[in-house]
Structure formats: structure tokens, C-alpha cells
Amino acid sequence: MTEILNELSELVYISDLETYDLLFMNTAGKKNFGVSEKQDLCGKKCYEVLQRRTKPCPFCTNSKLSFNGVYEWNFFNPVTKRNYMLKDKLIPWKDGRPVRMEIALDISDIMLKHRELEKSFTMEHFINKCLRILHRSCPMDRNIQDILSATGEFFQSIKA
């Protein structure tokens, strides 16, 4: 199984539920977290390698995991400075004990595109509002005042 996981482009790691010891990390995971391909992770804690922490993460999802379902969540990792969609699941390890498997898909580029799209929609909405004001049958000086007011509101809203 680890041979197959090693070939994935997604980041994959497996850790002990009780000790947090890393049992496996694929090539993509090692590359993203600055771990040498040849480095032995035996004895390293997941929170040390993945989060550069000295104790278990306060947001650890171990208590939410099961064999039947996948726990999915998003997280910004301050070590890699990337956003991930995470899929966590309990799986049986070689010796039969339950272990945590996490698959992380880097969604940073998708989130950046999403933010850019939101900005475009916000700007388009503002421009349409101004065009509607200009096409009113009110006196032009009133329309200009309303556009200036709308412009102030717009810049306040994007500043917040």
C-alpha cells in the first residue's frame, strides 16, 4: 500500500493515533515539508514535522475519525504557507492497530482564483450600481452625489 501512496502527487501521511509518531509520509509530503527523501521519520511526531510544534495540535482531528467515513476539512499550513483540503480517515496498520491517514490536496491556487473572482464580481456590481444611478431621471448633480456616496461605501466595504 505504501508504494502506491508514494506515487501520488497529493501529500499523504500516516501517524499513530496515541503517540502521534509518523509511520509514513509519501514523496510529495516530504518534498513539501522539507524532509529529505532518505530521512527516516521514525520517532518524529506529526506535529513536529507538519506544524513545527512541540506538542499536539489544538486542532487535531483524531477524535473525529472513523473507519467508515472520511473527515474533510480545509486548513492553511503556516509552515508551507499553502491552503489544503484535507481528507482524514482511520485505517488498519500492518499490525492491526488503527492509525490516521491524511491526504492533503493543495488548493492554494484555487482559493486565489476564487478570491480574484469575488473581487471581479464585487467590482462589476459596483459599476452596475453606478450605471443605474446615471440612467435615473434625476438631475445630474443629484446622480453625481449618489455616485460619490456609492463610491465611498464601496471603498469602505472593500477596506473592511
Side-chain angles (χ1 to χ4, degrees), residues 85-130:
M85 179 193 316
L86 305 168
K87 296 185 180 233
D88 302 343
K89 181 173 181 47
L90 289 182
I91 62 168
W93 193 236
K94 298 169 188 174
D95 57 9
R97 69 184 150 143
V99 295
R100 168 197 188 93
M101 178 175 73
E102 181 166 277
I103 299 173
L105 177 64
D106 187 336
I107 59 170
S108 300
D109 295 339
I110 293 168
M111 290 188 69
L112 179 62
K113 294 282 186 205
H114 179 75
R115 284 190 292 272
E116 289 172 358
L117 194 55
E118 279 182 336
K119 285 179 185 176
S120 292
F121 285 137
T122 301
M123 183 61 76
E124 183 178 328
H125 178 74
F126 168 68
I127 291 169
N128 284 330
K129 182 177 182 177
C130 291

Side-chain angles (χ1 to χ4, degrees), residues 6-158:
N6 221 17
E7 299 301 318
L8 294 175
S9 60
E10 293 82 11
L11 289 65
V12 180
Y13 78 89
I14 298 172
S15 64
D16 186 279
L17 286 174
E18 293 180 24
T19 65
Y20 302 96
D21 286 340
L22 278 172
L23 304 171
F24 169 80
M25 183 180 280
N26 73 344
T27 302
K30 287 181 176 181
K31 181 179 177 185
N32 275 270
F33 287 97
V35 176
S36 163
E37 184 63 33
K38 295 182 185 348
Q39 184 177 348
D40 184 13
L41 294 173
C42 186
K44 298 281 187 191
K45 307 293 186 190
C46 56
Y47 54 83
E48 293 171 339
V49 175
L50 303 172
Q51 303 296 329
R52 306 295 193 261
R53 293 170 125 1
T54 57
K55 56 186 175 190
C57 303
F59 48 83
C60 183
T61 62
N62 280 354
S63 64
K64 299 176 181 176
L65 306 184
S66 72
F67 286 104
N68 298 326
V70 173
Y71 182 74
E72 188 174 309
W73 57 300
N74 293 342
F75 182 72
F76 173 78
N77 186 295
V79 174
T80 61
K81 307 240 185 305
R82 306 291 291 173
N83 289 287
Y84 298 97
M85 179 193 316
L86 305 168
K87 296 185 180 233
D88 302 343
K89 181 173 181 47
L90 289 182
I91 62 168
W93 193 236
K94 298 169 188 174
D95 57 9
R97 69 184 150 143
V99 295
R100 168 197 188 93
M101 178 175 73
E102 181 166 277
I103 299 173
L105 177 64
D106 187 336
I107 59 170
S108 300
D109 295 339
I110 293 168
M111 290 188 69
L112 179 62
K113 294 282 186 205
H114 179 75
R115 284 190 292 272
E116 289 172 358
L117 194 55
E118 279 182 336
K119 285 179 185 176
S120 292
F121 285 137
T122 301
M123 183 61 76
E124 183 178 328
H125 178 74
F126 168 68
I127 291 169
N128 284 330
K129 182 177 182 177
C130 291
L131 289 171
R132 283 191 303 276
I133 291 171
L134 281 175
H135 283 90
R136 294 186 313 195
S137 58
C138 297
M140 188 53 73
D141 60 335
R142 171 69 191 273
N143 289 344
I144 290 171
Q145 286 297 319
D146 289 348
I147 286 175
L148 289 172
S149 177
T151 302
E153 290 172 12
F154 173 73
F155 282 108
Q156 283 292 82
S157 73
I158 63 172

